Amino acid sequence: MGQTAHVSAVVWSAAVSLAAWLWLLLFQGWFWRTDVRLPVSRDPDVWPDVCVVVPARDEASVLPASLPSLLAQDYPGRAEIFLVDDGSTDGTGDLARELARRQDGLALTVVTPGEPPSGWTGKLWAVRHGVELARDPEYLLLTDADIAHAPDSLRRLVAAARTGGFALVSQMARLRVESLWERLVVPAFVYFFAQLYPFRRITRPGSRTAAAAGGCVLLRADAAARARIPDAVRHAVIDDVAVARAVKRSGGRVWLGLADGVDSVRPYPRLRDLWRMVSRSAYAQLRHSPLLLVGTVAGLVLVYLVPPAAVAVGAAARSVPCALLGAAAWLVMTGTYVPMLRYCRQPLWLAPLLPVTAFLYLLMTVDSAVQHRRGRGAAWKGRTYTRPETVADEA
């Protein structure tokens, strides 16, 4: 009797999981599709001035692969780069100046803002400093120090923003996927992000969904002023989503899609590197809420772990309904992951392993909450950010 009840519970769980996957497949903004790319747009009659702001803290290892691509931008208008050295100890600023000396291209200014005051994250303090130095540009390009751009990247971003009437245009950089752990974890990072923030829904008029990818954000300067960026989101650990929400709240249109020609060069060769990348902000994504944490863990178990468990239980108990429901949910899950693996140029045999990856993300999320409870908050490059006392300015 006990085994029958156990199998029956698994059957019902598998049925709910399958229903969840069918809903995600059909009604979650087609999140699994990877064809949301920067549209081909007409060139403006007059190219606007652009200020490129690059916050950088201990980035000497990646700058040789990223900064020359910014210096070499083929942009017809006036553009200047401000690399804001956020208290680096590895010679980031000196290396940036040396790279600029070796290469003709856009003008580069390296500045140091000093330690961020209380209530500011280091990155946003650096962004604020760079924006203040800009000479009245029409657009701001906020890009991370590990992002390499194709020569026409800035031109295409500006043309898309102008043609589409967007206040913010962001591309999710193509992340590096080379090591075994990167293959297992990185494509899922983008997949889960798109599941939370479906790209099509972000652009849809009237939609409240807003997000951006912090590695590449083109922002109209007047929209930034209306939204009080970066001051309004000064404490945000997940600053890209906070910026997009602030812009949308102030009436600006937002576009986000996958990138072609915008690549992250930062390696994450070991599991602990990827673990740190995810866990530093996972609990902040849940607004530091124990209730949301419990709900997230339960959701991950039901949606990602129940299907393979149902297949195993069904096979062991010779329950055809259990095995079929689990296999059907697992098949839908696998099918939605295939386009992302293709985009990341990875073998498709990784798709059925998504439950393994989801279990790792579950552990990373729980660890993020544990570290917060221990007072370590979001730790990154020698700084730790605890939960802000007030989040009134953050969406």
PDB file of all heavy atoms in Angstrom, residues 119-137:
ATOM      1  N   GLY A 119      26.138  52.900   0.598  1.00  0.00           N
ATOM      2  CA  GLY A 119      24.904  52.844  -0.169  1.00  0.00           C
ATOM      3  C   GLY A 119      25.104  52.684  -1.660  1.00  0.00           C
ATOM      4  O   GLY A 119      24.131  52.518  -2.392  1.00  0.00           O
ATOM      5  N   TRP A 120      26.347  52.704  -2.121  1.00  0.00           N
ATOM      6  CA  TRP A 120      26.652  52.540  -3.542  1.00  0.00           C
ATOM      7  C   TRP A 120      27.412  51.234  -3.755  1.00  0.00           C
ATOM      8  O   TRP A 120      28.307  50.894  -2.975  1.00  0.00           O
ATOM      9  CB  TRP A 120      27.520  53.678  -4.054  1.00  0.00           C
ATOM     10  CG  TRP A 120      26.794  54.960  -4.292  1.00  0.00           C
ATOM     11  CD1 TRP A 120      26.459  55.900  -3.369  1.00  0.00           C
ATOM     12  CD2 TRP A 120      26.317  55.450  -5.558  1.00  0.00           C
ATOM     13  NE1 TRP A 120      25.812  56.953  -3.952  1.00  0.00           N
ATOM     14  CE2 TRP A 120      25.706  56.709  -5.305  1.00  0.00           C
ATOM     15  CE3 TRP A 120      26.338  54.970  -6.857  1.00  0.00           C
ATOM     16  CZ2 TRP A 120      25.131  57.477  -6.314  1.00  0.00           C
ATOM     17  CZ3 TRP A 120      25.777  55.739  -7.870  1.00  0.00           C
ATOM     18  CH2 TRP A 120      25.180  56.972  -7.594  1.00  0.00           C
ATOM     19  N   THR A 121      27.078  50.513  -4.840  1.00  0.00           N
ATOM     20  CA  THR A 121      27.955  49.436  -5.275  1.00  0.00           C
ATOM     21  C   THR A 121      29.114  50.052  -6.050  1.00  0.00           C
ATOM     22  O   THR A 121      28.995  51.147  -6.612  1.00  0.00           O
ATOM     23  CB  THR A 121      27.216  48.437  -6.183  1.00  0.00           C
ATOM     24  OG1 THR A 121      26.830  49.086  -7.399  1.00  0.00           O
ATOM     25  CG2 THR A 121      25.979  47.876  -5.491  1.00  0.00           C
ATOM     26  N   GLY A 122      30.222  49.344  -6.088  1.00  0.00           N
ATOM     27  CA  GLY A 122      31.392  49.878  -6.772  1.00  0.00           C
ATOM     28  C   GLY A 122      31.158  50.124  -8.247  1.00  0.00           C
ATOM     29  O   GLY A 122      31.587  51.146  -8.798  1.00  0.00           O
ATOM     30  N   LYS A 123      30.460  49.215  -8.907  1.00  0.00           N
ATOM     31  CA  LYS A 123      30.241  49.363 -10.345  1.00  0.00           C
ATOM     32  C   LYS A 123      29.403  50.597 -10.643  1.00  0.00           C
ATOM     33  O   LYS A 123      29.722  51.384 -11.549  1.00  0.00           O
ATOM     34  CB  LYS A 123      29.553  48.114 -10.903  1.00  0.00           C
ATOM     35  CG  LYS A 123      29.243  48.225 -12.394  1.00  0.00           C
ATOM     36  CD  LYS A 123      28.575  46.978 -12.929  1.00  0.00           C
ATOM     37  CE  LYS A 123      28.228  47.132 -14.415  1.00  0.00           C
ATOM     38  NZ  LYS A 123      27.581  45.928 -14.975  1.00  0.00           N
ATOM     39  N   LEU A 124      28.327  50.791  -9.889  1.00  0.00           N
ATOM     40  CA  LEU A 124      27.457  51.934 -10.167  1.00  0.00           C
ATOM     41  C   LEU A 124      28.111  53.256  -9.789  1.00  0.00           C
ATOM     42  O   LEU A 124      27.861  54.285 -10.422  1.00  0.00           O
ATOM     43  CB  LEU A 124      26.117  51.747  -9.462  1.00  0.00           C
ATOM     44  CG  LEU A 124      25.251  50.642 -10.086  1.00  0.00           C
ATOM     45  CD1 LEU A 124      24.062  50.312  -9.213  1.00  0.00           C
ATOM     46  CD2 LEU A 124      24.785  51.047 -11.486  1.00  0.00           C
ATOM     47  N   TRP A 125      28.956  53.250  -8.765  1.00  0.00           N
ATOM     48  CA  TRP A 125      29.723  54.448  -8.431  1.00  0.00           C
ATOM     49  C   TRP A 125      30.676  54.794  -9.576  1.00  0.00           C
ATOM     50  O   TRP A 125      30.842  55.966  -9.934  1.00  0.00           O
ATOM     51  CB  TRP A 125      30.484  54.236  -7.132  1.00  0.00           C
ATOM     52  CG  TRP A 125      31.325  55.386  -6.694  1.00  0.00           C
ATOM     53  CD1 TRP A 125      32.683  55.413  -6.556  1.00  0.00           C
ATOM     54  CD2 TRP A 125      30.871  56.698  -6.309  1.00  0.00           C
ATOM     55  NE1 TRP A 125      33.114  56.643  -6.123  1.00  0.00           N
ATOM     56  CE2 TRP A 125      32.018  57.455  -5.962  1.00  0.00           C
ATOM     57  CE3 TRP A 125      29.620  57.300  -6.235  1.00  0.00           C
ATOM     58  CZ2 TRP A 125      31.947  58.778  -5.546  1.00  0.00           C
ATOM     59  CZ3 TRP A 125      29.543  58.622  -5.817  1.00  0.00           C
ATOM     60  CH2 TRP A 125      30.705  59.349  -5.481  1.00  0.00           C
ATOM     61  N   ALA A 126      31.280  53.760 -10.165  1.00  0.00           N
ATOM     62  CA  ALA A 126      32.164  53.991 -11.309  1.00  0.00           C
ATOM     63  C   ALA A 126      31.378  54.515 -12.506  1.00  0.00           C
ATOM     64  O   ALA A 126      31.828  55.435 -13.206  1.00  0.00           O
ATOM     65  CB  ALA A 126      32.887  52.691 -11.675  1.00  0.00           C
ATOM     66  N   VAL A 127      30.215  53.956 -12.745  1.00  0.00           N
ATOM     67  CA  VAL A 127      29.375  54.430 -13.849  1.00  0.00           C
ATOM     68  C   VAL A 127      29.003  55.892 -13.642  1.00  0.00           C
ATOM     69  O   VAL A 127      29.061  56.710 -14.568  1.00  0.00           O
ATOM     70  CB  VAL A 127      28.110  53.552 -13.975  1.00  0.00           C
ATOM     71  CG1 VAL A 127      27.086  54.209 -14.896  1.00  0.00           C
ATOM     72  CG2 VAL A 127      28.472  52.170 -14.500  1.00  0.00           C
ATOM     73  N   ARG A 128      28.621  56.243 -12.433  1.00  0.00           N
ATOM     74  CA  ARG A 128      28.253  57.634 -12.139  1.00  0.00           C
ATOM     75  C   ARG A 128      29.405  58.579 -12.450  1.00  0.00           C
ATOM     76  O   ARG A 128      29.216  59.655 -13.032  1.00  0.00           O
ATOM     77  CB  ARG A 128      27.845  57.760 -10.673  1.00  0.00           C
ATOM     78  CG  ARG A 128      27.319  59.146 -10.281  1.00  0.00           C
ATOM     79  CD  ARG A 128      26.918  59.132  -8.813  1.00  0.00           C
ATOM     80  NE  ARG A 128      26.167  60.324  -8.444  1.00  0.00           N
ATOM     81  CZ  ARG A 128      26.702  61.441  -7.987  1.00  0.00           C
ATOM     82  NH1 ARG A 128      28.023  61.532  -7.854  1.00  0.00           N
ATOM     83  NH2 ARG A 128      25.945  62.467  -7.662  1.00  0.00           N
ATOM     84  N   HIS A 129      30.606  58.180 -12.067  1.00  0.00           N
ATOM     85  CA  HIS A 129      31.771  59.018 -12.298  1.00  0.00           C
ATOM     86  C   HIS A 129      32.023  59.187 -13.797  1.00  0.00           C
ATOM     87  O   HIS A 129      32.306  60.299 -14.278  1.00  0.00           O
ATOM     88  CB  HIS A 129      32.997  58.391 -11.627  1.00  0.00           C
ATOM     89  CG  HIS A 129      34.136  59.327 -11.434  1.00  0.00           C
ATOM     90  ND1 HIS A 129      34.122  60.358 -10.526  1.00  0.00           N
ATOM     91  CD2 HIS A 129      35.349  59.399 -12.048  1.00  0.00           C
ATOM     92  CE1 HIS A 129      35.267  61.017 -10.577  1.00  0.00           C
ATOM     93  NE2 HIS A 129      36.018  60.453 -11.501  1.00  0.00           N
ATOM     94  N   GLY A 130      31.910  58.093 -14.562  1.00  0.00           N
ATOM     95  CA  GLY A 130      32.125  58.183 -16.004  1.00  0.00           C
ATOM     96  C   GLY A 130      31.085  59.034 -16.691  1.00  0.00           C
ATOM     97  O   GLY A 130      31.403  59.834 -17.587  1.00  0.00           O
ATOM     98  N   VAL A 131      29.818  58.892 -16.279  1.00  0.00           N
ATOM     99  CA  VAL A 131      28.738  59.680 -16.893  1.00  0.00           C
ATOM    100  C   VAL A 131      28.936  61.169 -16.621  1.00  0.00           C
ATOM    101  O   VAL A 131      28.696  62.018 -17.490  1.00  0.00           O
ATOM    102  CB  VAL A 131      27.379  59.197 -16.365  1.00  0.00           C
ATOM    103  CG1 VAL A 131      26.260  60.159 -16.772  1.00  0.00           C
ATOM    104  CG2 VAL A 131      27.086  57.780 -16.877  1.00  0.00           C
ATOM    105  N   GLU A 132      29.409  61.504 -15.421  1.00  0.00           N
ATOM    106  CA  GLU A 132      29.611  62.914 -15.082  1.00  0.00           C
ATOM    107  C   GLU A 132      30.698  63.557 -15.933  1.00  0.00           C
ATOM    108  O   GLU A 132      30.681  64.772 -16.157  1.00  0.00           O
ATOM    109  CB  GLU A 132      29.969  63.039 -13.600  1.00  0.00           C
ATOM    110  CG  GLU A 132      28.789  62.817 -12.656  1.00  0.00           C
ATOM    111  CD  GLU A 132      29.194  62.955 -11.207  1.00  0.00           C
ATOM    112  OE1 GLU A 132      30.415  62.850 -10.915  1.00  0.00           O
ATOM    113  OE2 GLU A 132      28.303  63.159 -10.366  1.00  0.00           O
ATOM    114  N   LEU A 133      31.645  62.761 -16.420  1.00  0.00           N
ATOM    115  CA  LEU A 133      32.735  63.302 -17.229  1.00  0.00           C
ATOM    116  C   LEU A 133      32.356  63.478 -18.695  1.00  0.00           C
ATOM    117  O   LEU A 133      33.074  64.143 -19.442  1.00  0.00           O
ATOM    118  CB  LEU A 133      33.960  62.387 -17.125  1.00  0.00           C
ATOM    119  CG  LEU A 133      34.621  62.299 -15.738  1.00  0.00           C
ATOM    120  CD1 LEU A 133      35.701  61.237 -15.743  1.00  0.00           C
ATOM    121  CD2 LEU A 133      35.197  63.646 -15.333  1.00  0.00           C
ATOM    122  N   ALA A 134      31.255  62.862 -19.094  1.00  0.00           N
ATOM    123  CA  ALA A 134      30.857  62.919 -20.503  1.00  0.00           C
ATOM    124  C   ALA A 134      30.502  64.344 -20.921  1.00  0.00           C
ATOM    125  O   ALA A 134      29.951  65.111 -20.137  1.00  0.00           O
ATOM    126  CB  ALA A 134      29.672  61.991 -20.736  1.00  0.00           C
ATOM    127  N   ARG A 135      30.786  64.654 -22.183  1.00  0.00           N
ATOM    128  CA  ARG A 135      30.546  66.000 -22.707  1.00  0.00           C
ATOM    129  C   ARG A 135      29.214  66.051 -23.453  1.00  0.00           C
ATOM    130  O   ARG A 135      29.164  66.095 -24.670  1.00  0.00           O
ATOM    131  CB  ARG A 135      31.703  66.407 -23.626  1.00  0.00           C
ATOM    132  CG  ARG A 135      33.033  66.570 -22.897  1.00  0.00           C
ATOM    133  CD  ARG A 135      34.117  66.976 -23.860  1.00  0.00           C
ATOM    134  NE  ARG A 135      34.437  65.921 -24.818  1.00  0.00           N
ATOM    135  CZ  ARG A 135      35.215  66.100 -25.873  1.00  0.00           C
ATOM    136  NH1 ARG A 135      35.713  67.301 -26.142  1.00  0.00           N
ATOM    137  NH2 ARG A 135      35.474  65.095 -26.691  1.00  0.00           N
ATOM    138  N   ASP A 136      28.138  66.035 -22.695  1.00  0.00           N
ATOM    139  CA  ASP A 136      26.780  66.200 -23.205  1.00  0.00           C
ATOM    140  C   ASP A 136      26.491  65.267 -24.390  1.00  0.00           C
ATOM    141  O   ASP A 136      26.078  65.727 -25.467  1.00  0.00           O
ATOM    142  CB  ASP A 136      26.559  67.655 -23.617  1.00  0.00           C
ATOM    143  CG  ASP A 136      25.071  67.972 -23.798  1.00  0.00           C
ATOM    144  OD1 ASP A 136      24.258  67.298 -23.144  1.00  0.00           O
ATOM    145  OD2 ASP A 136      24.758  68.858 -24.600  1.00  0.00           O
ATOM    146  N   PRO A 137      26.655  63.947 -24.219  1.00  0.00           N
ATOM    147  CA  PRO A 137      26.363  63.033 -25.327  1.00  0.00           C
ATOM    148  C   PRO A 137      24.864  62.778 -25.433  1.00  0.00           C
ATOM    149  O   PRO A 137      24.097  63.008 -24.493  1.00  0.00           O
ATOM    150  CB  PRO A 137      27.092  61.752 -24.908  1.00  0.00           C
ATOM    151  CG  PRO A 137      26.982  61.775 -23.411  1.00  0.00           C
ATOM    152  CD  PRO A 137      27.091  63.232 -23.002  1.00  0.00           C
TER     153      PRO A 137
END
